Amino acid sequence: MKSIYILPCFLMFGALSSCQGNDDIVQLFPDKLESYNTINPITDVTFHDGRPFSADNTLDNKNSLAVPTEGVLMQGFYWDVPAGGNWWNILKGKLTDWSKAGIGAVWLPPVSKAQNGALSMGYDPTDYYDFGEHNQNGNIETRFGSRVELEALITKAHAEKIKVYADIVINHNSGGQLEKNPFTGTDTWTNFSGIASGKFPRNYNDFYKNSHGTNDEGAFGGFPDLCHANPYVQDWLWGREDSVGKYYKNVMKFDGWRFDYVKGFGSWVVNAWNKNVGGFSVGELWDSNVDTLEGWANNANSSVFDFAAFYKMDEAFDNGNLNALKDDMMWKRNPFRAVTFVSNHDTDIINNKMLAYAYIFSHEGYPTIFYRDYEEWLNKDELNNLIWIHNNKATGTTSILHVDQDEYIARRNGYNGNPGLIIYINGSSNWQERWVDTHWENKQLKDFTGHSSWYPTTETDKRVKIQCPPNSYSIWSIDQ
């Protein structure tokens, strides 16, 4: 969630920014469902609960057997993308190349009309059903384009086998008109009865404080705080056939949801949305505490962004202490519900990004790549290579083989005939070499990153010596 600046109450501009159900486990891991169900019923999943690594240093993610078939998630925007209504067309033009690279889903910014109209990034929503077709809030199109262009983008994405996730902002609204509010004794900006779409009209009783209570988990930035306890609000968000959720899924053809600022309302809200609407979901719970992330994900029946891993990667790769990667992270607790990331539109603190991307693309969880990292700032060929490695080699549970301040080595143990991989991260200024344990006997390996020219062969005891260049990484697997 971006920091905001509130102008006088008569003119609030939205300089704002800002989980995964059982069906989505099937969508993301269809090749593992049969074996998965022989371990635990899919409705009663248990994972690593914070216990120490087992004797062989294998993380207790006993059900993490395969790689998500979605590939990699692209965050398809950044803060203050160019205004002018052309962003949907820009993204549409990139989809074919993204699909070829192995990107399986794209997350879009909030798609509906917001208070700041053609200048808004969408995080100050006014009319959830105006996708750039009504002359409202000073413009017809949104900052990103028209409804026709948005639908063309989604259609093209699906033709390229890319799923599309919508950013859902339901903590707060903005752009209403003044009305007398008996619960505050003042006039409040809570009259949304005149919205152009005519869908989901709202008044003071649909925002806190009201007849349903004084407040919920958290308001944001002084904006009217939507009251999810109100059955009317619930019905319009996910209950009725033309609710926001069902309209976005069935009419606009979105495949999933990124829920903004979930600290602002109970996890039951996302759970109810997922139960009634379906589709992939991930919550923005900005908290590095793994217990908090795991608890929310379980209660919401949703994925969650792995902020614990995000901050540990910053400590490891920018502060020269790879021992931080020993610490607990959401992907270690429950890889099915962990969406990993290196940067996004709200926060971009990791400087040594290639090491971080090598980490998330080789490990468990559902990795996200940031638009500007991919399209503008980093080496696209190197990122495409990591995406290929993720989609083709990064399978199975994770075993931590060696960690110290300068070196980190982990093994993905493979699944269903896929041999897995070994990743070696070197934070020092010198080449490093180390003998490691593999699952492969008398097999020739290669570094699929091309950073090392070695082609070592594993011994009869399945050990092998691998190497890694300074301040870089290598990723090893069977040469096939």
Side-chain angles (χ1 to χ4, degrees):
M1 181 68 67
K2 280 278 185 189
S3 60
I4 63 167
Y5 302 89
I6 305 299
L7 297 179
C9 61
F10 62 89
L11 186 62
M12 295 191 299
F13 286 102
L16 293 175
S17 122
S18 67
C19 296
Q20 166 170 336
N22 295 334
D23 290 343
D24 305 301
I25 293 177
V26 179
Q27 292 173 16
L28 288 172
F29 302 89
D31 56 334
K32 93 145 83 77
L33 184 58
E34 181 177 354
S35 60
Y36 181 92
N37 278 325
T38 65
I39 301 171
N40 283 317
I42 201 162
T43 55
D44 185 24
V45 183
T46 57
F47 289 90
H48 180 64
D49 60 2
R51 291 171 289 171
F53 297 159
S54 60
D56 64 352
N57 286 334
T58 300
L59 297 179
D60 188 18
N61 294 333
K62 56 183 175 293
N63 297 314
S64 179
L65 303 178
V67 64
T69 57
E70 301 302 293
V72 170
L73 169 60
M74 170 67 74
Q75 180 177 354
F77 65 101
Y78 54 91
W79 195 252
D80 283 344
V81 300
N86 199 40
W87 190 248
W88 298 147
N89 293 328
I90 290 172
L91 293 186
K92 181 183 174 185
K94 297 192 179 287
L95 291 171
T96 299
D97 287 342
W98 287 358
S99 179
K100 290 178 180 177
I103 291 167
V106 58
W107 152 29
L108 301 184
V111 297
S112 65
K113 189 68 61 65
Q115 179 179 351
N116 210 12
L119 298 179
S120 177
M121 285 296 294
Y123 290 93
D124 50 338
T126 299
D127 188 341
Y128 288 104
Y129 297 85
D130 179 0
F131 304 98
E133 63 209 275
H134 298 291
N135 191 353
Q136 182 172 210
N137 293 355
N139 205 56
I140 295 177
E141 293 190 347
T142 68
R143 182 187 193 103
F144 314 110
S146 69
R147 174 172 179 154
V148 170
E149 290 164 340
L150 172 62
E151 290 178 317
L153 166 63
I154 297 171
T155 298
K156 174 68 172 178
H158 290 159
E160 295 289 353
K161 309 301 182 187
I162 294 176
K163 293 190 174 182
V164 186
Y165 303 155
D167 205 317
I168 302 296
V169 185
I170 54 174
N171 176 74
H172 52 271
N173 291 166
S174 187
Q177 302 300 308
L178 276 174
E179 63 180 345
K180 293 186 181 300
N181 188 329
F183 295 97
T184 65
T186 62
D187 290 347
T188 55
W189 299 90
T190 49
N191 183 356
F192 292 81
S193 61
I195 52 176
S197 71
K199 292 183 176 295
F200 195 12
R202 286 145 277 162
N203 64 23
Y204 59 80
N205 202 43
D206 302 314
F207 300 90
Y208 289 107
K209 60 183 182 179
N210 57 13
S211 62
H212 299 275
T214 301
N215 61 276
D216 61 359
E217 281 74 3
F220 182 79
F223 287 85
D225 188 20
L226 199 59
C227 176
H228 305 93
N230 186 340
Y232 174 85
V233 172
Q234 296 173 24
D235 202 32
W236 270 107
L237 287 180
W238 62 74
R240 51 193 289 158
E241 287 307 303
D242 61 345
S243 65
V244 174
K246 292 177 182 177
Y247 193 94
Y248 278 43
K249 182 180 181 183
N250 300 326
V251 178
M252 300 304 293
K253 304 301 182 182
F254 281 100
D255 305 289
W257 329 104
R258 179 267 188 188
F259 288 96
D260 180 67
Y261 190 60
V262 298
K263 281 188 174 182
F265 47 89
S267 55
W268 67 269
V269 172
V270 174
N271 192 312
W273 178 297
N274 290 339
K275 181 178 179 181
N276 285 273
V277 179
F280 174 81
S281 77
V282 58
E284 182 216 21
L285 181 64
W286 200 322
D287 199 305
S288 62
N289 185 291
V290 187
D291 290 333
T292 301
L293 296 173
E294 183 182 34
W296 184 89
N298 289 340
N299 291 330
N301 193 26
S302 173
S303 293
V304 66
F305 283 107
D306 194 347
F307 276 92
F310 173 72
Y311 286 111
K312 290 303 175 183
M313 287 190 293
D314 180 47
E315 182 179 345
F317 303 132
D318 288 346
N319 296 312
N321 182 20
L322 298 189
N323 283 310
L325 301 179
K326 295 178 181 177
D327 293 343
D328 205 3
M329 305 175 194
M330 182 61 190
W331 74 259
K332 297 180 181 181
R333 296 282 188 96
N334 186 335
F336 295 105
R337 288 182 169 165
V339 178
T340 53
F341 68 102
V342 173
S343 58
N344 62 30
H345 64 296
D346 278 335
T347 181
D348 190 13
I349 63 174
I350 297 175
N351 294 315
N352 204 339
K353 288 185 176 181
M354 287 310 306
L355 294 187
Y357 276 117
Y359 182 82
I360 68 170
F361 286 150
S362 60
H363 284 68
E364 295 168 80
Y366 186 11
T368 306
I369 191 165
F370 183 44
Y371 179 93
R372 300 198 85 168
D373 287 342
Y374 186 80
E375 291 290 344
E376 300 177 15
W377 291 342
L378 302 180
N379 185 310
K380 185 181 291 189
D381 290 337
E382 193 170 357
L383 288 171
N384 283 341
N385 178 244
L386 285 173
I387 293 171
W388 183 92
I389 289 171
H390 171 267
N391 292 347
N392 291 278
K393 297 292 184 181
T395 61
T397 56
T398 303
S399 297
I400 309 299
L401 303 181
H402 176 83
V403 189
D404 62 31
Q405 181 169 324
D406 293 328
E407 294 176 80
Y408 173 88
I409 306 175
R411 185 180 68 224
R412 293 296 298 277
N413 293 311
Y415 171 70
N416 197 28
N418 186 305
L421 58 80
I422 296 173
I423 178 168
Y424 193 162
I425 298 177
N426 177 11
S428 77
S429 58
N430 302 304
W431 278 84
Q432 299 288 351
E433 301 173 2
R434 192 167 291 277
W435 284 90
V436 296
D437 294 318
T438 79
H439 290 314
W440 314 309
E441 180 180 349
N442 298 322
K443 296 291 186 180
Q444 186 178 71
L445 307 186
K446 78 170 185 177
D447 173 16
F448 278 82
T449 70
H451 293 162
S452 171
S453 60
W454 279 13
Y455 284 82
T457 299
T458 61
E459 305 285 340
T460 55
D461 64 358
K462 302 180 182 179
R463 288 174 59 78
V464 69
K465 182 188 280 190
I466 56 176
Q467 66 172 190
C468 187
N471 297 304
S472 189
Y473 58 93
S474 55
I475 301 177
W476 303 81
S477 189
I478 294 176
D479 185 11
Q480 62 180 30

